[in-house]
C-alpha cells in the first residue's frame, strides 16, 4: 500500500477545498488534496475536460476568475512540491489517532488506473466535501428524465451538451435560476421554473439581502436571461406528479397555498417534457465529518451541519471543515471559509488567532454571506405540507424501491420515527446511495406530517460505515 | 454539434454508437437518445441519470466488463463496451 505523509490533508477540490489547499501551502505546509473529480473545481466550477480544452473561458460560470486564480496558485504549489494533488479518488474511511494524526484510505472514483490507491497520513485535516441537491419525493420521480437540478447543470458544464430538449425546473431557492439559465443558454427550452415559495418571503430579510449586492447583480443577470428566452417563472407553484411510460412525458403542476399544499383546480400540465430537474436546497455531505463524531446542529434550512469555531475548527482538535458542511451558503462563502481553514490548519502550534486566518475585511464579507444564506433558507423553506403531495405508491427510497405506504405503516404500527428504525423495518436508505437521496425525506416522514426532520435522525441517515462503496480488495488490504 | 465532432465510437449492449470526445458515458448514452439503462432489482424499473454527480448510484452501468460503474462519472473512451441491465439481463450485483 502506497502511503503519503503530509502536514495537512484536504478532501475536496471545489471552492472551499481549493482555497484551503492554496492557503495551507502558501503558509508553508506540505499539503495533499484528495478529490473525487479528475480536475479541480468541484461541482460549482465543473467544466469540460482540460485535456480537450486547456483554457475554457468559463462561460456560464460565476466567479470564474476566482477559480483561475486559485488554480494558478494551486499549480504553483504543485510545482514547488508543497501540494500533492490526488484526483479521481474518494475517501472511503477516515480515522484519527493520537500518535499518527489523521489517516485517509482512498478508492478510485471510477474504474481504471493501475496499482494501489494511496493512503494519506496528515497531522491536520480539512474536509470540504460540499453538498448535492436535496430531494423530496413526488409521484413519478423515479422515472428516467427526472433529474436533480444540479445534475442537469453538471451535465451541461461537463459535457457541453443537453440531456434533452424540453425542460421544467422545480423546487425552491435561487439555485433554480442558474440551472434554467444554463439550459436556455445551451439551447434548451425551459417550459417553466416552478418555485414553491413566494418571493415576499424575502421582505423580512431585505437587510441581509442588500448587504450582498453581488447576489442582486446575479439576480438581474438571470432576469435578463429569463426575459430573453421567455422563461415563465411561477412562484407558489409545485409539481404534483410526473408521469409517462418508462420515461418522463407529462409534468402536472398546481399553485400552492402558504404551506405548500396544492390548490385544487389550479395549475395544469406540461406535455412532451424530456427532463424535469428538482432542487430543494442542498444536502451537505456529512459522512466524513460524522465519522469523527463532530458536534452538529440543525441549520435554518433543516440540514444537519457541523459546528465550527472562527478558525473553522470542528469539535475534534485538528479537524477543520469548510464549505457546505458548516452551513449551505454558496461558493463565495466556501472560498472564504476554505482560506480560513487552510491557514489555521497550516499552523502546527494551533495557536493562530481568528484574526490571523482571515483579514477583517474578508471576515466581514464572510459574515455578510452567512447572513444572506440564513435569509435565503428562510425565504425558500421546504414546504411545510410537502408530505401531502405523496401517494401511497410514491417511492421514498429509489434504491430499495420502498413506497410511502410502507414507511407510514412502519411509523404508525411499529413506532419507527427515525431513519435508523425505518431502515431496519423497511430498508429505506439501505441501497446503493446509502440514504444520500432519501435521508432527508425519510427523516421527515418518520417525524410525521408537517414535522421537521430531527437532527438525530438526519445524523443516523448520514452515518455510513464506509463513506463510499469500496471493492473487497480495499477492505482486505487493511490487514497489510 | 456536427457529426464530425462525434468521433468517439463505443457500443451499448452491442449496438454501435458515437459521441463527442470528453463526454461521460451517461452523457454519451443520453445524447444518443438512450434515457435508461439500469433495471431496478425488485421491479425491473428503468433508471438512467438522476443526480448526475456520483451521489445516487442510479446510473450504474457495466464498462468493459467491470460492473457497477457510475455512468455520470466515467469518461467515454474509444471502443468502450458499455452494458446496461435493462434488457431482462439481471446481472446487477448486490453487495
Amino acid at each position: 500500500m502506497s502511503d503519503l505523509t503530509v502536514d495537512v490533508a484536504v478532501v475536496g477540490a471545489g471552492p472551499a477545498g481549493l482555497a484551503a489547499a492554496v492557503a495551507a501551502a502558501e503558509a508553508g505546509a506540505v499539503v495533499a488534496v484528495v478529490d473525487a473529480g479528475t480536475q479541480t473545481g468541484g461541482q460549482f466550477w465543473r467544466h469540460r475536460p482540460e485535456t480537450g480544452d486547456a483554457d475554457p473561458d468559463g462561460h456560464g460560470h460565476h466567479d470564474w476568475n476566482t477559480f483561475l486564480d486559485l488554480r494558478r496558485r494551486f499549480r504553483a504549489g504543485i510545482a514547488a512540491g508543497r501540494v500533492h494533488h490526488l484526483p479521481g479518488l474518494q475517501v472511503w474511511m477516515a480515522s484519527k489517532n493520537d500518535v499518527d494524526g489523521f489517516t485517509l484510505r482512498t478508492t478510485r472514483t471510477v474504474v481504471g488506473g493501475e496499482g494501489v490507491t494511496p493512503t494519506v497520513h496528515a497531522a491536520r485535516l480539512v474536509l470540504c466535501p460540499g453538498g448535492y441537491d436535496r430531494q423530496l419525493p413526488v409521484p413519478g420521480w423515479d422515472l428516467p428524465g427526472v433529474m436533480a437540478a444540479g445534475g442537469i447543470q453538471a451535465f451541461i458544464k461537463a459535457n457541453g451538451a443537453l440531456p434533452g430538449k424540453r425542460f421544467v425546473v422545480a423546487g425552491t431557492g435561487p439555485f433554480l435560476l442558474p440551472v434554467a439559465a444554463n439550459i436556455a443558454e445551451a439551447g434548451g427550452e425551459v417550459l417553466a421554473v416552478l418555485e414553491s415559495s413566494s418571493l415576499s418571503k424575502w421582505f423580512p430579510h431585505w437587510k441581509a439581502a442588500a448587504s450582498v449586492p453581488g447576489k442582486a447583480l446575479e439576480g438581474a443577470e438571470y432576469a435578463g436571461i429569463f426575459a430573453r428566452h421567455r422563461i415563465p417563472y411561477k412562484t407558489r407553484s409545485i409539481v404534483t406528479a410526473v408521469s409517462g411510460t418508462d420515461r418522463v412525458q407529462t409534468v402536472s403542476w398546481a399553485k400552492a397555498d402558504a404551506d405548500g399544499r396544492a390548490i385544487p383546480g389550479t395549475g395544469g400540465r406540461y406535455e412532451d417534457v424530456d427532463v424535469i430537474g428538482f432542487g430543494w436546497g442542498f444536502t451537505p455531505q456529512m459522512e466524513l465529518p460524522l465519522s469523527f463524531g463532530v458536534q452538529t446542529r440543525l441549520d435554518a434550512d433543516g440540514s444537519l451541519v457541523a459546528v465550527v469555531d472562527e478558525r473553522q475548527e470542528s469539535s475534534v482538535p485538528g479537524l477543520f471543515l469548510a464549505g457546505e458542511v458548516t452551513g449551505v451558503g454558496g461558493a463565495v462563502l466556501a472560498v472564504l471559509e476554505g482560506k480560513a481553514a487552510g491557514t489555521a490548519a497550516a499552523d502546527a502550534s494551533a495557536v493562530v488567532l481568528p484574526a490571523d486566518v482571515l483579514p477583517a475585511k474578508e471576515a466581514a464579507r464572510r459574515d455578510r454571506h452567512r447572513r444572506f444564506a440564513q435569509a435565503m433558507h428562510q425565504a425558500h423553506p421546504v414546504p411545510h405540507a410537502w408530505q401531502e403531495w405523496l401517494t401511497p405508491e410514491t417511492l421514498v427510497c429509489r434504491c430499495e424501491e420502498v413506497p410511502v405506504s410502507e414507511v407510514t405503516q412502519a411509523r404508525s404500527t411499529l413506532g419507527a420515527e427515525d431513519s435508523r428504525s425505518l431502515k431496519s423495518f423497511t430498508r429505506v436508505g439501505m441501497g446503493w446511495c446509502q440514504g444520500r437521496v432519501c435521508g432527508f425525506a425519510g427523516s421527515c416522514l418518520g417525524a410525521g406530517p408537517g414535522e421537521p426532520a430531527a437532527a438525530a435522525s438526519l445524523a443516523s441517515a448520514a452515518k455510513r460505515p464506509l463513506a463510499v462503496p469500496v471493492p473487497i480488495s480495499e477492505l482486505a488490504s487493511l490487514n497489510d | 454539434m456536427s457529426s464530425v465532432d462525434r468521433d468517439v465510437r463505443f457500443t451499448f449492449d452491442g449496438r454501435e454508437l458515437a459521441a463527442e470526445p470528453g463526454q461521460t458515458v451517461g452523457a454519451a448514452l443520453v445524447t444518443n437518445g438512450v434515457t435508461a439503462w439500469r433495471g431496478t432489482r425488485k421491479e425491473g424499473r428503468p433508471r438512467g441519470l438522476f443526480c448526475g454527480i456520483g451521489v445516487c448510484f442510479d446510473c450504474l452501468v457495466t464498462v468493459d466488463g467491470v460492473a457497477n460503474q457510475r455512468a455520470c462519472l466515467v469518461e467515454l473512451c474509444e471502443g468502450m463496451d458499455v452494458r446496461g441491465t435493462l434488457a431482462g439481463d439481471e446481472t446487477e450485483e448486490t453487495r
Side-chain angles (χ1 to χ4, degrees):
Chain A
M1 172 147 293
S2 74
D3 280 28
L4 182 65
T5 301
V6 295
D7 301 319
V8 177
V10 178
V11 175
L18 260 185
V22 165
E26 290 178 356
V30 174
V31 183
V33 180
V34 181
D35 185 39
T38 50
Q39 55 195 25
T40 58
Q43 306 305 339
F44 187 72
W45 289 316
R46 184 185 278 268
H47 52 287
R48 306 247 29 219
E50 289 164 5
T51 45
D53 182 3
D55 195 19
D57 63 5
H59 182 76
H61 280 277
H62 278 104
D63 302 316
W64 187 249
N65 285 333
T66 305
F67 171 63
L68 293 182
D69 175 57
L70 286 172
R71 191 177 67 175
R72 179 184 57 74
R73 291 155 68 193
F74 185 79
R75 287 174 175 170
I78 295 172
R82 284 199 308 280
V83 174
H84 300 271
H85 185 201
L86 306 171
L89 295 173
Q90 287 183 288
V91 174
W92 62 268
M93 196 164 77
S95 55
K96 184 194 181 192
N97 72 50
D98 295 336
V99 185
D100 307 319
F102 295 91
T103 300
L104 305 176
R105 298 188 189 276
T106 64
T107 187
R108 285 192 182 82
T109 310
V110 300
V111 64
E114 295 292 317
V116 292
T117 53
T119 294
V120 179
H121 303 280
R124 270 113 29 226
L125 175 60
V126 187
L127 295 176
C128 310
Y132 51 87
D133 301 84
R134 182 161 59 184
Q135 295 298 334
L136 298 176
V138 65
W141 75 308
D142 53 321
L143 284 169
V146 177
M147 289 182 73
I152 298 174
Q153 193 181 44
F155 188 107
I156 298 168
K157 286 179 178 178
N159 297 291
L162 281 164
K165 292 189 181 77
R166 287 160 60 83
F167 294 78
V168 174
V169 179
T172 193
F175 179 64
L176 303 180
L177 305 178
V179 172
N182 284 155
I183 293 168
E185 298 281 88
E189 186 183 356
V190 182
L191 303 173
V193 174
L194 304 173
E195 161 65 60
S196 66
S197 191
S198 153
L199 293 188
S200 63
K201 286 202 175 168
W202 276 97
F203 294 162
H205 310 289
W206 67 271
K207 267 188 181 167
S211 71
V212 186
K215 299 284 186 188
L217 287 177
E218 273 179 40
E221 181 190 328
Y222 297 135
I225 293 171
F226 273 48
R228 198 157 65 245
H229 294 280
R230 301 176 191 280
I231 302 172
Y233 181 70
K234 297 182 193 291
T235 57
R236 281 270 182 98
S237 301
I238 56 168
V239 171
T240 52
V242 181
S243 49
T245 32
D246 295 339
R247 57 163 298 171
V248 172
Q249 278 154 346
T250 305
V251 171
S252 305
W253 69 281
K255 295 303 273 186
D257 67 16
D259 285 334
R261 202 172 280 114
I263 300 172
T266 65
R269 290 166 153 218
Y270 295 103
E271 303 286 355
D272 301 319
V273 177
D274 295 317
V275 179
I276 170 151
F278 283 110
W280 296 97
F282 293 89
T283 296
Q285 302 239 55
M286 287 294 284
E287 51 269 272
L288 289 175
L290 285 173
S291 72
F292 290 104
V294 299
Q295 195 191 333
T296 57
R297 64 183 173 89
L298 271 186
D299 205 359
D301 60 350
S303 288
L304 186 78
V305 299
V307 175
V308 290
D309 64 15
E310 288 267 298
R311 308 154 68 244
Q312 300 295 133
E313 194 168 15
S314 70
S315 59
V316 175
L319 176 61
F320 298 81
L321 308 170
E324 313 298 49
V325 288
T326 66
V328 171
V332 173
L333 178 59
V335 167
L336 293 166
E337 290 182 349
K339 182 180 177 181
T343 307
D347 171 46
S349 63
V351 295
V352 61
L353 298 170
D356 297 326
V357 298
L358 218 52
K361 207 173 161 186
E362 286 181 305
R365 190 161 184 240
R366 174 198 63 197
D367 295 344
R368 283 199 305 277
H369 275 268
R370 282 189 180 151
R371 284 196 296 273
F372 182 88
Q374 294 299 307
M376 175 180 78
H377 296 328
Q378 282 159 28
H380 295 276
V382 166
H384 188 69
W386 74 267
Q387 294 181 28
E388 294 181 28
W389 309 335
L390 306 172
T391 66
E393 300 79 30
T394 308
L395 292 189
V396 180
C397 172
R398 299 165 54 96
C399 299
E400 292 296 310
E401 299 167 85
V402 183
V404 167
S405 57
E406 287 181 25
V407 174
T408 49
Q409 198 193 2
R411 184 182 67 215
S412 57
T413 64
L414 302 166
E417 294 179 349
D418 67 287
S419 57
R420 193 154 159 235
S421 331
L422 285 172
K423 193 194 265 187
S424 23
F425 289 128
T426 70
R427 295 189 62 84
V428 75
M430 223 168 169
W432 269 103
C433 90
Q434 291 285 290
R436 285 178 177 83
V437 175
C438 70
F440 180 80
S443 291
C444 292
L445 285 164
E451 295 298 320
S457 179
L458 291 173
S460 70
K463 249 182 210 150
R464 295 171 187 112
L466 305 178
V468 291
V470 62
I472 299 290
S473 58
E474 304 268 15
L475 291 174
S477 72
L478 283 179
N479 293 325
D480 293 354
Chain B
M1 75 198 73
S2 73
S3 59
V4 185
D5 291 332
R6 300 175 70 88
D7 55 0
V8 179
R9 284 159 300 172
F10 69 106
T11 60
F12 172 66
D13 286 346
R15 194 147 62 94
E16 288 192 14
L17 299 172
E20 214 185 316
Q23 291 194 336
T24 63
V25 168
L29 289 172
V30 169
T31 53
N32 274 285
V34 181
T35 53
W37 48 87
R38 186 176 76 94
T40 60
R41 200 156 45 87
K42 276 164 82 176
E43 307 282 342
R45 296 285 295 148
R47 296 283 172 84
L49 292 180
F50 177 62
C51 82
I53 60 169
V55 170
C56 76
F57 294 82
D58 239 355
C59 65
L60 293 179
V61 72
T62 299
V63 175
D64 290 337
V66 185
N68 302 324
Q69 297 301 304
R70 287 169 282 182
C72 67
L73 297 180
V74 179
E75 193 176 323
L76 186 74
C77 294
E78 178 69 30
M80 252 182 187
D81 172 18
V82 177
R83 286 175 191 275
T85 52
L86 249 187
D89 175 26
E90 278 297 310
T91 54
E92 188 194 344
E93 287 175 18
T94 49
R95 286 159 306 145

